[in-house]
Amino acid sequence: MSAQNTSAMTLARKLDRRMLQLGLSQQALAQKSGVSDSEVSRLLKGQSKRPGLPNILRLARALEVSVDFLADDSLQDDPHTEPVSLPSQEQALLELARTIGSREVEMILDATRILGFETAIRRLYGVEFRPFPSSPSHSGATGE
């Protein structure tokens, strides 16, 4: 396998990143764009290299980006939109989510929502969750 050009950003990566930024699942993107779920899946897996102009237009509108951005692998950011400034903690979480992958992050968050935070922590880490005291001004009860 050849070394990947770090300045190139594939269509699949752009779709994945923008879906994560907008909080869209694969199915939500398909529904919002009118592009079939199977075509969105192929694009996200990098199996469909040339989705055709009608689909690119639909995806660009749904993701609120320019066609130029989706079509040009050399563009890291959409030159036609304002950059979004996030607090550093949110930026770090977004980068971690990108590393893990949007589908996996969505599954983790769904499990957390369904199971409840404490149960999800217990299952993921095998430990009991103990929240930090919110402030020392509690009524003096230890709560344990």
Side-chain angles (χ1 to χ4, degrees):
M1 185 182 266
S2 64
Q4 185 178 4
N5 181 353
T6 57
S7 66
M9 182 180 260
T10 64
L11 176 60
R13 176 111 164 94
K14 289 177 183 183
L15 293 174
D16 192 51
R17 182 176 85 167
R18 190 65 181 145
M19 287 168 55
L20 187 61
Q21 289 171 339
L22 296 175
L24 293 174
S25 66
Q26 175 183 318
Q27 292 78 18
L29 176 59
Q31 184 176 22
K32 186 175 179 180
S33 67
V35 176
S36 73
D37 190 38
S38 59
E39 178 63 6
V40 172
S41 177
R42 284 190 296 274
L43 288 167
L44 289 170
K45 293 176 183 175
Q47 296 172 342
S48 180
K49 303 288 186 194
R50 297 181 183 250
L53 185 57
N55 283 346
I56 284 290
L57 285 169
R58 290 182 190 115
L59 290 167
R61 285 186 189 122
L63 295 172
E64 302 165 16
V65 296
S66 69
V67 172
D68 291 341
F69 172 67
L70 292 182
D72 189 345
D73 287 352
S74 69
L75 294 175
Q76 296 287 325
D77 296 299
D78 189 350
H80 303 290
T81 60
E82 295 286 325
V84 178
S85 178
L86 296 174
S88 61
Q89 186 176 14
E90 287 183 28
Q91 187 63 37
L93 287 172
L94 184 57
E95 197 55 44
L96 178 60
R98 285 183 190 136
T99 303
I100 294 170
S102 62
R103 187 173 191 186
E104 290 78 6
V105 169
E106 185 178 347
M107 289 171 48
I108 291 168
L109 292 175
D110 279 347
T112 301
R113 181 181 51 80
I114 292 166
L115 295 171
F117 182 75
E118 291 182 33
T119 303
I121 292 296
R122 196 169 36 253
R123 287 189 180 181
L124 285 170
Y125 296 108
V127 296
E128 201 63 36
F129 174 72
R130 295 178 189 242
F132 295 105
S134 58
S135 70
S137 64
H138 284 309
S139 62
T142 59
E144 299 221 12

